[in-house]
């Protein structure tokens, strides 16, 4: 089975801290995604990557950056955490082929910024 | 642009049948996914429809009408464990091609 692993299940950080959320997948998928999920707003795409060192902005990239130095790892970085970044963060991956393959999700990181 | 609508909340009785609707307007539509998400957990894949019609998978079925921009998820013989959010997601064209609705929170009551 495909496994997408997020390094932390729960995180508590202070305003202004730099925060790293790590995601690793073990199925050689080309595409990796970072979403945040908030009540009433659903899943919103922050950034995605379709290859090593490649990244594309999603719908809400402001306040975030990403890094993909290796194919299996996709990191989300909050340069200076703010309280409005308190959310559930979900990492996902999928292969490029077949084109209709489902997304495989990690178990999520609940981030609280105080 | 992308627009996906589904009801926010639904309640149904254990043992009953419930239908969760999803309407969409997207560019370059390729197919539609349904995911289940229990509280505090990651979404898990339920179904994928690319052709018009009904796809049945045990107690769960999913229907698609491409001409009407409409899909539904049908859950039969409801069980308490079916209480969860159900996410509709449309696949469009391009590298970032999956767009999610806000989800329908289903509560199953005894």
């Amino acid at each position: 089975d495909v496994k997408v692993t997020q390094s932390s299940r729960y995180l508590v950080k202070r305003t202004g801290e730099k925060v790293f959320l790590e995601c690793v997948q073990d199925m050689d998928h080309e595409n990796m995604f970072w979403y945040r999920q908030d009540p009433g707003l659903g899943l919103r795409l922050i950034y995605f990557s379709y290859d090593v060192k490649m990244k594309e902005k999603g719908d809400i990239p402001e306040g975030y950056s990403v890094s993909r130095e290796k194919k299996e790892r996709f990191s989300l970085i909050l340069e200076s955490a703010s309280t409005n970044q308190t959310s559930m963060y979900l990492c996902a991956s999928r292969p490029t082929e077949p084109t209709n393959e489902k997304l495989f999700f990690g178990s999520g990181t609940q981030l609280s910024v105080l | 642009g992308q627009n996906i609508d589904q009801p926010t909340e639904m309640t149904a009785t254990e043992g009953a049948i419930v239908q969760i609707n999803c309407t969409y307007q997207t560019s370059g539509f390729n197919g539609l996914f349904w995911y289940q998400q229990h509280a505090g957990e990651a979404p898990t894949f339920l179904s994928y429809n690319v052709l018009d019609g009904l796809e049945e998978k045990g107690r769960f079925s999913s229907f698609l009408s491409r001409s009407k921009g409409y899909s539904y998820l049908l859950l039969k013989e409801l069980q308490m464990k079916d209480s969860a959010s159900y996410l509709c997601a449309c696949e469009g064209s391009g590298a970032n091609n999956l767009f999610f609705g806000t989800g329908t929170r289903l509560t199953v009551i005894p």
Side-chain angles (χ1 to χ4, degrees), chain A residues 5-48:
Chain A
T5 303
Q6 293 184 230
S7 54
S8 303
R9 187 72 181 88
Y10 299 96
L11 269 182
V12 180
K13 297 291 181 181
R14 297 214 172 268
T15 303
E17 277 193 78
K18 190 169 186 175
V19 182
F20 292 86
L21 301 183
E22 306 286 349
C23 176
V24 176
Q25 51 96 2
D26 65 359
M27 281 302 291
D28 205 37
H29 288 169
E30 295 84 4
N31 305 291
M32 296 188 75
F33 304 81
W34 274 107
Y35 293 89
R36 65 177 282 176
Q37 187 174 31
D38 302 286
L41 296 177
L43 281 163
R44 293 182 292 166
L45 183 67
I46 305 170
Y47 267 97
F48 71 100

Side-chain angles (χ1 to χ4, degrees), chain B residues 47-102:
Chain B
S47 67
Y48 177 70
N49 292 68
V50 61
L51 300 176
D52 284 358
L54 189 68
E55 296 269 348
E56 296 189 70
K57 199 183 284 187
R59 293 191 299 114
F60 292 7
S61 303
S62 55
F63 171 84
L64 177 67
S65 168
R66 295 174 72 116
S67 61
K68 294 182 179 177
Y70 168 68
S71 172
Y72 66 73
L73 181 69
L74 193 70
L75 291 75
K76 302 176 187 175
E77 301 169 17
L78 279 173
Q79 301 175 10
M80 300 299 290
K81 67 178 182 179
D82 297 330
S83 292
S85 288
Y86 292 86
L87 311 179
C88 169
C90 292
E91 184 176 41
S93 54
N96 166 29
N97 63 358
L98 202 58
F99 303 94
F100 285 85
T102 55

